[in-house]
Amino acid sequence: MLKNTPIYPKELSWLSFNERVLQEVEDKEIPIIERVHFMGIFSSNLDEFYRVKVADVRRLITFAKSDKKKQHFSSLLVKINERVFELQQRFVVAYRQVMADLDKEGIHLINEIQLRDRQQAYVEEYFHRQVLPELEPFFIDDRKAMPLLNEASTYFAIDLQLDDSSRRFAALEIPTDKLPRFVSLPPRKGKREKVYIVLDNIIRSCLTDVFRRVIDIKTAQAFTFKISRDAELELGEQITQNILSRVTRSLKKRKQAKLVRLVYDRTMPEFLLELIKKKLKFGRYDSYTPGGRYHNSKDFMEFPVDFSRHCYKKIKPLPTLPEGESIFSRLSRGDQLAYYPYHDFRLITNLLASSAIDPFVKEININLYRVAKNSRVIAALINAARNHKQVTAVVELQARFDELANIHWSNELRDAGVNVIYGVPGFKVHCKLIAILREENGKVRYYSHLGTGNFNENTARLYCDFSLLTSDDKVGKDVAKVFDLLKNFEKQKNSKKIYNYIAVSPQSNRNSILEWIDCEIKAAESGAPAALFFKCNNLVDGEIISKLYEASNAGVRIRVIVRSMCSLLCDRPGLSDNIEVISLVDKYLEHARCYVFYNGGDEKVWLSSADLMTRNLDHRVEVTFPILDSHNKKLVLDIMELQWSDNKKARVIDKDQNNMQIANYNNKSCRAQNAIYEYLKKYSKRCKKTA
């Protein structure tokens, strides 16, 4: 590893990724409702960024052991806030443009000033019948402490001028957890249009009524603000303590965690802003983001969608199983590779539902990280337990922001008789495995799933992920070893367990990837062709980056498709001359991890649950697995090449991470996600003919 490996700060790289999301809002070629949804994604991303990554930087400042380190992280925090301010300014401009473009399409999001008589009457009736019963304002002054605020909510800071010329200040939570943020209004007479108003503006239109006339109010003004808290769970080191109760208690503490960010209406009077800061006890390292009139723009992800012509056309997922054939019969003839959302996720639910009732299936093991709200995966596991199968579910209680859901599901599974393992102490279980043991001809046969994404029917419609289903006993025995590790983690975490076909974090993933890169370096140094082609969500691990610099200097051609953070410095002469990096942000979220090694022309293709991050390689249980079937290998390689050829949605990741669009030198347009679907449709037809 190079000493002091040059890297691009991962936090600033993440903001570059969110700029790519903002570019989708700004792109007028995208259907207008999709641009609205991208506004929500941009805002939601930024909220999580402050709760997680900025909170980490704050901790590094607090616990820095030297002035030099404290200064370094303090300087980074300043750069983060400057970059956020720049992006927020662009977001405001983009928001106004989107609203104008919605107007052109007869979709109007109006405020309380723009209400017509009929609409005003509707709003007032809706306010008193639906909204007022949910409102609980509280007064703010120097004498009393501020109540605990919910970071998921937006608040009004209200400036009240009373009839006796005195002044009072109050705050109010906007109850979007109980009422819709967007309320449909009657259209203007004779107009074919859709009219909406946000809940905030319904309250503004009747603001004095919020106080139920118990005080005499002359005027009232409301200004929005919201907070972000540190999202880190403090679980402590006592591994013998019940992890379920520890996560539950830590979630309660999260509601009282340190504040890291205040977003506020830039028109809020200075004295009111300072009062809010003081009452919330914001400090010197906290972040302040002046914004527009509305916050929680993440709610735009749920903007009413009854305008199909203004959205992306939904694709019909391609089938993966022939009609009338059991999944076990299909897998006995060879591996099955699926790529969501282009393929139908029912491949997985069918596997589990079939296993639940198949008399020859004796045992089912599965990892659960994030599952859907009404999960057919969970239902199948419960049914398997009812049918007296031996079922083990490894439920990761520390899946960030899904902790409560996973506690719920773990209780449901346990009550149904499923053996539930609540993750492992000190390590998140992030691999995507299923191990099914089936009795065939008096012997046990292994049916396995290895994947890059979660067992979640909802995200499988939006996230691009690979699933490999195989009946290969050699691979199956390796997968069974991983579950054996999870069931006996304390005894086996430091063992030199031999996996014949897969690599596993924290035991062998890092060393395996480094060794595979070294093979390409040796090939290049001997004058042979050498290449690496990686796709991942994040590339930030210092040792991996250092090894890629070494490979570049040896003459290895390196291509990387990275969705989010990239700390590798591109375009740096003498350091990364042979490295090219692009990023894809489009209608589906690129979530798959794929690592291809040229290997003298006989490419090794590996898929993985692990990104190239220190946490994935050293502090999680992750699995990297090979694609052995030649047809499936070609499928993955062709998909990767289509993504590399994208010149519509791809962006170049250069040394400054400016997100410039890929140049189109041959005037051939390629939008990878569309091209992949067409390719897979043709591939599916060819497979049917040869079946």
Side-chain angles (χ1 to χ4, degrees), residues 174-222:
I174 298 171
T176 51
D177 59 332
K178 300 180 180 70
L179 298 168
R181 184 83 188 275
F182 302 99
V183 177
S184 178
L185 296 179
R188 291 171 293 179
K189 285 185 178 181
K191 296 286 186 179
R192 296 185 64 184
E193 60 185 8
K194 293 285 186 178
V195 184
Y196 297 93
I197 188 169
V198 294
L199 183 58
D200 319 27
N201 288 335
I202 290 178
I203 298 172
R204 279 191 172 100
S205 71
C206 305
L207 191 57
T208 56
D209 291 347
V210 167
F211 296 89
R212 302 173 190 271
R213 307 199 182 279
V214 298
I215 55 175
D216 297 322
I217 301 171
K218 185 177 182 180
T219 62
Q221 284 185 290

Short mmCIF file of all heavy atoms in Angstrom, two decimals, residues 174-222:
data_model
loop_
_atom_site.label_atom_id
_atom_site.label_comp_id
_atom_site.label_asym_id
_atom_site.label_seq_id
_atom_site.Cartn_x
_atom_site.Cartn_y
_atom_site.Cartn_z
N ILE A 174 -45.86 20.01 11.95
CA ILE A 174 -46.78 19.78 10.84
C ILE A 174 -47.06 18.28 10.78
O ILE A 174 -46.14 17.48 10.57
CB ILE A 174 -46.19 20.30 9.52
CG1 ILE A 174 -45.96 21.82 9.62
CG2 ILE A 174 -47.10 19.98 8.34
CD1 ILE A 174 -45.20 22.42 8.48
N PRO A 175 -48.30 17.85 10.97
CA PRO A 175 -48.59 16.43 11.23
C PRO A 175 -48.65 15.55 9.97
O PRO A 175 -49.67 14.91 9.67
CB PRO A 175 -49.95 16.49 11.93
CG PRO A 175 -50.61 17.68 11.34
CD PRO A 175 -49.52 18.69 11.08
N THR A 176 -47.54 15.50 9.23
CA THR A 176 -47.52 14.69 8.01
C THR A 176 -47.49 13.20 8.30
O THR A 176 -47.63 12.39 7.38
CB THR A 176 -46.32 15.08 7.13
OG1 THR A 176 -45.13 15.05 7.93
CG2 THR A 176 -46.51 16.47 6.56
N ASP A 177 -47.28 12.82 9.56
CA ASP A 177 -47.36 11.40 9.91
C ASP A 177 -48.81 10.93 10.02
O ASP A 177 -49.09 9.73 9.99
CB ASP A 177 -46.62 11.13 11.22
CG ASP A 177 -47.18 11.94 12.38
OD1 ASP A 177 -47.72 13.04 12.14
OD2 ASP A 177 -47.08 11.47 13.53
N LYS A 178 -49.73 11.88 10.13
CA LYS A 178 -51.16 11.54 10.27
C LYS A 178 -52.00 11.98 9.08
O LYS A 178 -53.08 11.44 8.84
CB LYS A 178 -51.72 12.18 11.54
CG LYS A 178 -51.03 11.74 12.83
CD LYS A 178 -51.65 12.43 14.03
CE LYS A 178 -50.97 11.99 15.33
NZ LYS A 178 -49.60 12.53 15.45
N LEU A 179 -51.52 12.97 8.34
CA LEU A 179 -52.27 13.52 7.21
C LEU A 179 -51.37 13.59 5.98
O LEU A 179 -50.14 13.72 6.11
CB LEU A 179 -52.77 14.93 7.54
CG LEU A 179 -53.76 15.04 8.72
CD1 LEU A 179 -53.94 16.50 9.12
CD2 LEU A 179 -55.09 14.41 8.35
N PRO A 180 -51.94 13.52 4.78
CA PRO A 180 -51.11 13.61 3.57
C PRO A 180 -50.46 14.98 3.43
O PRO A 180 -51.06 16.00 3.80
CB PRO A 180 -52.10 13.34 2.44
CG PRO A 180 -53.45 13.61 3.01
CD PRO A 180 -53.36 13.29 4.47
N ARG A 181 -49.25 14.99 2.93
CA ARG A 181 -48.56 16.27 2.72
C ARG A 181 -49.19 17.04 1.56
O ARG A 181 -49.25 18.27 1.58
CB ARG A 181 -47.07 16.01 2.41
CG ARG A 181 -46.22 17.30 2.27
CD ARG A 181 -45.78 17.82 3.59
NE ARG A 181 -45.13 19.10 3.57
CZ ARG A 181 -43.83 19.32 3.33
NH1 ARG A 181 -43.05 18.32 3.06
NH2 ARG A 181 -43.34 20.54 3.38
N PHE A 182 -49.68 16.31 0.56
CA PHE A 182 -50.28 16.95 -0.61
C PHE A 182 -51.78 16.69 -0.62
O PHE A 182 -52.22 15.54 -0.57
CB PHE A 182 -49.65 16.42 -1.91
CG PHE A 182 -48.17 16.63 -1.97
CD1 PHE A 182 -47.30 15.59 -1.66
CD2 PHE A 182 -47.63 17.86 -2.32
CE1 PHE A 182 -45.93 15.77 -1.69
CE2 PHE A 182 -46.26 18.05 -2.36
CZ PHE A 182 -45.41 17.00 -2.04
N VAL A 183 -52.57 17.75 -0.67
CA VAL A 183 -54.03 17.64 -0.61
C VAL A 183 -54.59 18.13 -1.94
O VAL A 183 -54.25 19.22 -2.41
CB VAL A 183 -54.60 18.46 0.55
CG1 VAL A 183 -56.13 18.40 0.56
CG2 VAL A 183 -54.03 17.96 1.88
N SER A 184 -55.46 17.31 -2.55
CA SER A 184 -56.08 17.67 -3.83
C SER A 184 -57.20 18.68 -3.60
O SER A 184 -58.00 18.55 -2.67
CB SER A 184 -56.63 16.41 -4.49
OG SER A 184 -57.27 16.73 -5.70
N LEU A 185 -57.25 19.71 -4.46
CA LEU A 185 -58.26 20.76 -4.36
C LEU A 185 -59.16 20.75 -5.59
O LEU A 185 -58.78 20.25 -6.65
CB LEU A 185 -57.57 22.14 -4.26
CG LEU A 185 -56.71 22.40 -3.03
CD1 LEU A 185 -56.09 23.78 -3.12
CD2 LEU A 185 -57.52 22.26 -1.76
N PRO A 186 -60.35 21.31 -5.46
CA PRO A 186 -61.23 21.42 -6.64
C PRO A 186 -60.57 22.30 -7.71
O PRO A 186 -59.94 23.31 -7.38
CB PRO A 186 -62.49 22.10 -6.10
CG PRO A 186 -62.43 21.93 -4.61
CD PRO A 186 -60.98 21.88 -4.25
N PRO A 187 -60.69 21.92 -9.00
CA PRO A 187 -60.11 22.75 -10.06
C PRO A 187 -60.95 24.01 -10.27
O PRO A 187 -62.05 24.14 -9.74
CB PRO A 187 -60.19 21.84 -11.29
CG PRO A 187 -61.35 20.94 -11.01
CD PRO A 187 -61.35 20.72 -9.52
N ARG A 188 -60.38 24.95 -11.00
CA ARG A 188 -61.15 26.13 -11.35
C ARG A 188 -62.27 25.73 -12.30
O ARG A 188 -62.16 24.75 -13.03
CB ARG A 188 -60.23 27.16 -12.03
CG ARG A 188 -59.21 27.78 -11.10
CD ARG A 188 -58.20 28.62 -11.86
NE ARG A 188 -57.37 27.77 -12.72
CZ ARG A 188 -56.41 28.25 -13.51
NH1 ARG A 188 -56.19 29.55 -13.57
NH2 ARG A 188 -55.68 27.42 -14.26
N LYS A 189 -63.36 26.48 -12.27
CA LYS A 189 -64.51 26.16 -13.10
C LYS A 189 -64.13 26.12 -14.58
O LYS A 189 -63.48 27.03 -15.09
CB LYS A 189 -65.63 27.20 -12.89
CG LYS A 189 -66.36 27.03 -11.56
CD LYS A 189 -67.53 27.98 -11.46
CE LYS A 189 -68.30 27.77 -10.14
NZ LYS A 189 -69.45 28.68 -10.03
N GLY A 190 -64.53 25.05 -15.22
CA GLY A 190 -64.30 24.92 -16.65
C GLY A 190 -62.88 24.51 -17.02
O GLY A 190 -62.54 24.48 -18.21
N LYS A 191 -62.03 24.22 -16.05
CA LYS A 191 -60.64 23.88 -16.32
C LYS A 191 -60.40 22.38 -16.08
O LYS A 191 -60.87 21.82 -15.09
CB LYS A 191 -59.70 24.67 -15.41
CG LYS A 191 -59.74 26.18 -15.64
CD LYS A 191 -59.02 26.54 -16.93
CE LYS A 191 -58.93 28.05 -17.09
NZ LYS A 191 -58.22 28.43 -18.34
N ARG A 192 -59.68 21.75 -17.01
CA ARG A 192 -59.24 20.38 -16.81
C ARG A 192 -57.82 20.44 -16.26
O ARG A 192 -56.84 20.58 -17.01
CB ARG A 192 -59.28 19.60 -18.13
CG ARG A 192 -60.68 19.45 -18.69
CD ARG A 192 -60.68 18.58 -19.93
NE ARG A 192 -60.25 17.21 -19.61
CZ ARG A 192 -60.09 16.26 -20.53
NH1 ARG A 192 -60.29 16.53 -21.81
NH2 ARG A 192 -59.71 15.04 -20.16
N GLU A 193 -57.72 20.40 -14.97
CA GLU A 193 -56.44 20.56 -14.31
C GLU A 193 -56.43 19.80 -13.00
O GLU A 193 -57.47 19.40 -12.47
CB GLU A 193 -56.17 22.05 -14.04
CG GLU A 193 -57.21 22.68 -13.15
CD GLU A 193 -57.02 24.18 -12.96
OE1 GLU A 193 -56.16 24.76 -13.64
OE2 GLU A 193 -57.73 24.77 -12.13
N LYS A 194 -55.23 19.57 -12.50
CA LYS A 194 -55.04 18.98 -11.19
C LYS A 194 -54.42 20.04 -10.29
O LYS A 194 -53.40 20.64 -10.65
CB LYS A 194 -54.12 17.75 -11.26
CG LYS A 194 -54.72 16.57 -12.02
CD LYS A 194 -55.78 15.87 -11.20
CE LYS A 194 -56.27 14.61 -11.89
NZ LYS A 194 -57.25 13.87 -11.09
N VAL A 195 -55.06 20.27 -9.13
CA VAL A 195 -54.60 21.32 -8.23
C VAL A 195 -54.31 20.70 -6.87
O VAL A 195 -55.14 19.96 -6.32
CB VAL A 195 -55.63 22.45 -8.08
CG1 VAL A 195 -55.07 23.57 -7.20
CG2 VAL A 195 -56.04 22.99 -9.44
N TYR A 196 -53.12 21.01 -6.33
CA TYR A 196 -52.73 20.51 -5.02
C TYR A 196 -52.23 21.66 -4.15
O TYR A 196 -51.76 22.69 -4.66
CB TYR A 196 -51.61 19.46 -5.14
CG TYR A 196 -52.02 18.23 -5.91
CD1 TYR A 196 -51.77 18.15 -7.28
CD2 TYR A 196 -52.65 17.16 -5.28
CE1 TYR A 196 -52.14 17.03 -8.00
CE2 TYR A 196 -53.02 16.04 -6.00
CZ TYR A 196 -52.77 15.97 -7.35
OH TYR A 196 -53.14 14.87 -8.06
N ILE A 197 -52.34 21.45 -2.86
CA ILE A 197 -51.76 22.37 -1.89
C ILE A 197 -51.07 21.53 -0.83
O ILE A 197 -51.54 20.44 -0.48
CB ILE A 197 -52.84 23.29 -1.27
CG1 ILE A 197 -52.19 24.37 -0.40
CG2 ILE A 197 -53.87 22.49 -0.47
CD1 ILE A 197 -53.16 25.47 0.05
N VAL A 198 -49.93 22.01 -0.33
CA VAL A 198 -49.25 21.25 0.72
C VAL A 198 -49.91 21.54 2.06
O VAL A 198 -50.49 22.62 2.28
CB VAL A 198 -47.74 21.56 0.78
CG1 VAL A 198 -47.02 21.09 -0.47
CG2 VAL A 198 -47.48 23.03 1.03
N LEU A 199 -49.81 20.58 2.95
CA LEU A 199 -50.42 20.71 4.27
C LEU A 199 -49.93 21.96 5.00
O LEU A 199 -50.71 22.63 5.70
CB LEU A 199 -50.10 19.45 5.09
CG LEU A 199 -50.70 19.34 6.49
CD1 LEU A 199 -52.22 19.42 6.45
CD2 LEU A 199 -50.23 18.05 7.16
N ASP A 200 -48.66 22.31 4.81
CA ASP A 200 -48.10 23.52 5.44
C ASP A 200 -48.96 24.74 5.12
O ASP A 200 -49.27 25.55 6.01
CB ASP A 200 -46.68 23.80 4.92
CG ASP A 200 -45.81 22.58 4.77
OD1 ASP A 200 -46.34 21.48 4.55
OD2 ASP A 200 -44.59 22.73 4.85
N ASN A 201 -49.35 24.86 3.84
CA ASN A 201 -50.07 26.05 3.42
C ASN A 201 -51.54 26.03 3.83
O ASN A 201 -52.16 27.08 3.95
CB ASN A 201 -49.93 26.24 1.91
CG ASN A 201 -48.53 26.68 1.54
OD1 ASN A 201 -47.82 27.28 2.35
ND2 ASN A 201 -48.11 26.38 0.32
N ILE A 202 -52.09 24.85 4.04
CA ILE A 202 -53.43 24.78 4.62
C ILE A 202 -53.39 25.36 6.04
O ILE A 202 -54.29 26.12 6.43
CB ILE A 202 -53.93 23.31 4.64
CG1 ILE A 202 -54.22 22.85 3.21
CG2 ILE A 202 -55.18 23.17 5.51
CD1 ILE A 202 -54.67 21.40 3.11
N ILE A 203 -52.35 25.01 6.78
CA ILE A 203 -52.22 25.55 8.14
C ILE A 203 -51.98 27.05 8.09
O ILE A 203 -52.56 27.82 8.87
CB ILE A 203 -51.09 24.83 8.90
CG1 ILE A 203 -51.41 23.34 9.02
CG2 ILE A 203 -50.88 25.45 10.28
CD1 ILE A 203 -50.28 22.50 9.58
N ARG A 204 -51.13 27.49 7.16
CA ARG A 204 -50.87 28.93 7.03
C ARG A 204 -52.15 29.71 6.74
O ARG A 204 -52.34 30.83 7.23
CB ARG A 204 -49.85 29.18 5.91
CG ARG A 204 -48.40 28.96 6.30
CD ARG A 204 -47.49 29.50 5.20
NE ARG A 204 -46.08 29.47 5.59
CZ ARG A 204 -45.22 28.53 5.21
NH1 ARG A 204 -45.63 27.54 4.44
NH2 ARG A 204 -43.96 28.59 5.60
N SER A 205 -53.02 29.12 5.93
CA SER A 205 -54.23 29.85 5.54
C SER A 205 -55.17 30.07 6.72
O SER A 205 -56.04 30.95 6.68
CB SER A 205 -54.96 29.08 4.43
OG SER A 205 -55.55 27.90 4.95
N CYS A 206 -55.02 29.27 7.77
CA CYS A 206 -55.88 29.39 8.96
C CYS A 206 -55.02 29.52 10.21
O CYS A 206 -55.35 28.98 11.28
CB CYS A 206 -56.80 28.18 9.08
SG CYS A 206 -57.81 27.83 7.62
N LEU A 207 -53.90 30.23 10.11
CA LEU A 207 -52.88 30.19 11.15
C LEU A 207 -53.38 30.68 12.51
O LEU A 207 -53.06 30.09 13.55
CB LEU A 207 -51.65 31.01 10.70
CG LEU A 207 -50.39 30.87 11.54
CD1 LEU A 207 -49.95 29.41 11.63
CD2 LEU A 207 -49.26 31.72 10.94
N THR A 208 -54.16 31.76 12.53
CA THR A 208 -54.61 32.26 13.83
C THR A 208 -55.56 31.27 14.51
O THR A 208 -55.62 31.21 15.75
CB THR A 208 -55.30 33.62 13.68
OG1 THR A 208 -56.38 33.50 12.75
CG2 THR A 208 -54.32 34.68 13.17
N ASP A 209 -56.26 30.46 13.71
CA ASP A 209 -57.19 29.48 14.30
C ASP A 209 -56.46 28.34 15.00
O ASP A 209 -57.07 27.60 15.78
CB ASP A 209 -58.09 28.89 13.21
CG ASP A 209 -59.09 29.91 12.68
OD1 ASP A 209 -59.25 30.96 13.31
OD2 ASP A 209 -59.70 29.64 11.63
N VAL A 210 -55.16 28.19 14.70
CA VAL A 210 -54.36 27.14 15.36
C VAL A 210 -54.42 27.32 16.88
O VAL A 210 -54.42 26.35 17.63
CB VAL A 210 -52.90 27.20 14.86
CG1 VAL A 210 -51.99 26.35 15.75
CG2 VAL A 210 -52.82 26.73 13.41
N PHE A 211 -54.53 28.59 17.34
CA PHE A 211 -54.48 28.88 18.78
C PHE A 211 -55.87 28.94 19.40
O PHE A 211 -56.04 29.39 20.53
CB PHE A 211 -53.69 30.18 19.00
CG PHE A 211 -52.25 30.05 18.57
CD1 PHE A 211 -51.87 30.33 17.26
CD2 PHE A 211 -51.29 29.59 19.45
CE1 PHE A 211 -50.56 30.18 16.86
CE2 PHE A 211 -49.97 29.44 19.05
CZ PHE A 211 -49.60 29.73 17.75
N ARG A 212 -56.86 28.50 18.64
CA ARG A 212 -58.22 28.25 19.11
C ARG A 212 -58.83 29.46 19.84
O ARG A 212 -59.66 29.33 20.73
CB ARG A 212 -58.24 27.02 20.03
CG ARG A 212 -57.70 25.79 19.32
CD ARG A 212 -57.56 24.59 20.27
NE ARG A 212 -56.82 23.51 19.64
CZ ARG A 212 -57.34 22.53 18.91
NH1 ARG A 212 -58.65 22.51 18.73
NH2 ARG A 212 -56.59 21.60 18.38
N ARG A 213 -58.34 30.66 19.47
CA ARG A 213 -58.88 31.93 19.96
C ARG A 213 -58.79 32.09 21.47
O ARG A 213 -59.58 32.80 22.09
CB ARG A 213 -60.33 32.10 19.48
CG ARG A 213 -60.48 31.93 17.97
CD ARG A 213 -61.73 32.50 17.41
NE ARG A 213 -61.82 32.25 15.98
CZ ARG A 213 -61.20 32.98 15.04
NH1 ARG A 213 -60.46 34.01 15.41
NH2 ARG A 213 -61.33 32.68 13.76
N VAL A 214 -57.81 31.41 22.08
CA VAL A 214 -57.60 31.60 23.53
C VAL A 214 -56.69 32.79 23.80
O VAL A 214 -56.57 33.25 24.94
CB VAL A 214 -57.01 30.33 24.17
CG1 VAL A 214 -57.97 29.17 24.04
CG2 VAL A 214 -55.66 29.98 23.58
N ILE A 215 -56.01 33.29 22.77
CA ILE A 215 -55.27 34.54 22.87
C ILE A 215 -55.69 35.43 21.71
O ILE A 215 -56.09 34.95 20.65
CB ILE A 215 -53.73 34.33 22.87
CG1 ILE A 215 -53.30 33.51 21.64
CG2 ILE A 215 -53.28 33.63 24.14
CD1 ILE A 215 -51.80 33.36 21.52
N ASP A 216 -55.60 36.74 21.92
CA ASP A 216 -56.04 37.70 20.90
C ASP A 216 -54.87 38.02 19.97
O ASP A 216 -53.93 38.72 20.37
CB ASP A 216 -56.57 38.97 21.57
CG ASP A 216 -57.80 38.68 22.42
OD1 ASP A 216 -58.62 37.84 21.99
OD2 ASP A 216 -57.92 39.28 23.52
N ILE A 217 -54.93 37.51 18.76
CA ILE A 217 -53.82 37.63 17.81
C ILE A 217 -54.15 38.68 16.76
O ILE A 217 -55.21 38.65 16.14
CB ILE A 217 -53.55 36.27 17.14
CG1 ILE A 217 -53.20 35.21 18.19
CG2 ILE A 217 -52.43 36.38 16.11
CD1 ILE A 217 -53.14 33.80 17.63
N LYS A 218 -53.21 39.59 16.59
CA LYS A 218 -53.36 40.61 15.57
C LYS A 218 -52.83 40.10 14.23
O LYS A 218 -53.53 40.15 13.20
CB LYS A 218 -52.62 41.88 15.99
CG LYS A 218 -52.80 43.06 15.04
CD LYS A 218 -52.09 44.28 15.61
CE LYS A 218 -52.29 45.49 14.71
NZ LYS A 218 -51.59 46.68 15.26
N THR A 219 -51.60 39.59 14.22
CA THR A 219 -51.01 39.00 13.02
C THR A 219 -50.19 37.78 13.43
O THR A 219 -49.71 37.67 14.56
CB THR A 219 -50.08 39.98 12.28
OG1 THR A 219 -48.99 40.34 13.14
CG2 THR A 219 -50.84 41.22 11.83
N ALA A 220 -50.03 36.88 12.47
CA ALA A 220 -49.21 35.68 12.72
C ALA A 220 -48.45 35.33 11.44
O ALA A 220 -49.01 35.39 10.35
CB ALA A 220 -50.09 34.51 13.15
N GLN A 221 -47.19 34.98 11.60
CA GLN A 221 -46.37 34.55 10.49
C GLN A 221 -45.69 33.23 10.86
O GLN A 221 -45.21 33.07 11.99
CB GLN A 221 -45.29 35.58 10.15
CG GLN A 221 -45.81 36.81 9.40
CD GLN A 221 -44.65 37.71 9.01
OE1 GLN A 221 -44.04 38.34 9.87
NE2 GLN A 221 -44.34 37.77 7.73
N ALA A 222 -45.64 32.32 9.90
CA ALA A 222 -45.03 31.01 10.15
C ALA A 222 -43.83 30.79 9.22
O ALA A 222 -43.90 31.08 8.02
CB ALA A 222 -46.05 29.90 9.95
#
